[in-house]
């Protein structure tokens, strides 16, 4: 990743590391509650609603090449059960660890004359800017990894009836009488035969009636 654009220290997901200095081994612990940014989660499946509280617990450690950030984000995610389509809520605890490098140091902490010369190496790295770092991209990645791709309201959710769409959890005894297609064909044939017999009987009765009249 290239050097960050100018970071705004007023952004709640931007953190200041100046207290650490460049003293390897220096530690700082932070807790902060922030509003969830937009689209925090798996879009269309489950995620933390925009503006919902996200509790952050961070451990900042100064190392030779930058600041190692280890933390946990806690929030309540909302989504829809993939089986019964009912709304659901799930407590989320997403853990993460990321290195934010000094822009003038390589991955071994050595000072380099012109940071950013090696574009391939920089592309996957996050950098400090004037002692600040932006946690948003790290938070997004951690939340996505912590959320289920197919959320369910409960592990044994029976889902919906495949025939009528009824929610099976509301009616455990819900069922439809199954008809074997082989018997259905025979029943149809039997019905046809019965109709034919009725027609024959009607014809025979009619002929008998005519004969009786002729005898009279």
């Amino acid at each position: 990743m290239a050097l960050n654009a100018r970071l705004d220290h007023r952004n709640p997901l931007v953190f200041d590391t100046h207290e650490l200095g460049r003293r390897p081994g220096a530690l700082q612990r932070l807790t902060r509650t922030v509003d969830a940014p937009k689209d925090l989660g798996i879009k269309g499946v489950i995620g933390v609603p925009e503006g919902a509280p996200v509790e952050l617990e961070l451990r900042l450690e100064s190392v030779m090449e930058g600041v190692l950030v280890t933390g946990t984000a806690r929030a309540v995610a909302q989504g829809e059960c993939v089986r019964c389509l009912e709304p659901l809520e799930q407590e989320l605890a997403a853990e993460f660890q990321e290195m934010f490098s000094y822009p003038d140091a390589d991955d071994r902490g050595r000072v380099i004359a012109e940071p950013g010369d090696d574009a391939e190496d920089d592309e996957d790295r996050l950098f400090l800017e004037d002692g600040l770092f932006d946690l948003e991209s790290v938070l997004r990645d951690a939340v996505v990894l912590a959320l289920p791709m197919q959320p369910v309201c409960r592990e044994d959710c029976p889902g919906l009836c495949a025939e009528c769409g009824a929610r099976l959890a509301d009616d455990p005894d819900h069922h439809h009488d199954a008809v074997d297609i082989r018997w259905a064909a025979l029943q149809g044939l039997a019905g046809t035969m019965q109709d034919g017999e009725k027609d024959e009987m009607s014809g025979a009765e009619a002929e008998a009636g005519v004969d009786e009249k002729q005898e009279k």
Side-chain angles (χ1 to χ4, degrees), residues 190-209:
T192 302
M193 292 177 64
Q194 289 175 359
D195 292 340
E197 289 174 356
K198 289 179 181 179
D199 292 340
E200 291 177 0
M201 291 179 63
S202 298
E205 290 175 355
E207 291 178 359

Side-chain angles (χ1 to χ4, degrees), residues 67-85:
V67 175
L68 181 64
V69 179
T70 305
T72 303
R74 291 185 172 84
V76 177
Q78 296 180 1
E80 185 179 83
C81 177
V82 296
R83 296 179 188 169
C84 68
L85 307 183

Side-chain angles (χ1 to χ4, degrees), residues 15 28-34 54-60 72:
F15 292 82
Q28 183 179 7
R29 297 183 184 276
L30 299 172
T31 59
R32 183 181 296 182
T33 299
V34 302
V54 179
E55 297 179 2
L56 299 174
E57 296 179 3
L58 303 180
R59 178 178 183 271
L60 279 54
T72 303

Side-chain angles (χ1 to χ4, degrees), residues 39-170:
D39 298 329
L40 183 60
I42 306 171
K43 191 171 183 179
V45 180
I46 187 172
V48 182
E50 183 178 4
V54 179
E55 297 179 2
L56 299 174
E57 296 179 3
L58 303 180
R59 178 178 183 271
L60 279 54
E61 180 181 1
S62 179
V63 294
M64 289 293 294
E65 62 268 32
V67 175
L68 181 64
V69 179
T70 305
T72 303
R74 291 185 172 84
V76 177
Q78 296 180 1
E80 185 179 83
C81 177
V82 296
R83 296 179 188 169
C84 68
L85 307 183
E86 288 292 309
L88 61 82
E89 289 189 347
Q90 177 177 319
E91 292 187 359
L92 166 73
E95 298 181 350
F96 51 86
Q97 185 175 73
E98 189 65 55
M99 170 68 70
F100 289 87
S101 301
Y102 297 123
D104 59 350
D106 64 11
D107 57 3
R108 295 183 181 179
R110 297 174 301 190
V111 175
I112 53 179
E114 297 183 12
D117 281 349
D118 193 333
E120 292 184 1
D121 289 345
D122 288 350
E123 190 169 345
D124 296 328
R125 296 171 65 190
L126 298 175
F127 290 91
L128 293 167
E129 180 187 316
D130 296 330
L132 304 176
F133 68 86
D134 188 345
L135 193 65
E136 183 170 342
S137 63
V138 175
L139 176 63
R140 287 187 181 280
D141 291 345
V143 167
V144 169
L145 290 175
L147 289 172
M149 294 296 294
Q150 295 187 317
V152 291
C153 58
R154 67 186 202 204
E155 290 299 324
D156 61 346
C157 174
L160 303 176
C161 173
E163 294 191 35
C164 67
R167 188 168 181 263
L168 298 179
D170 296 335

Side-chain angles (χ1 to χ4, degrees), residues 11-24:
N11 182 334
L13 287 172
V14 171
F15 292 82
D16 191 334
T17 67
H18 283 100
E19 288 187 17
L20 292 175
R22 285 204 177 190
R23 304 185 305 275

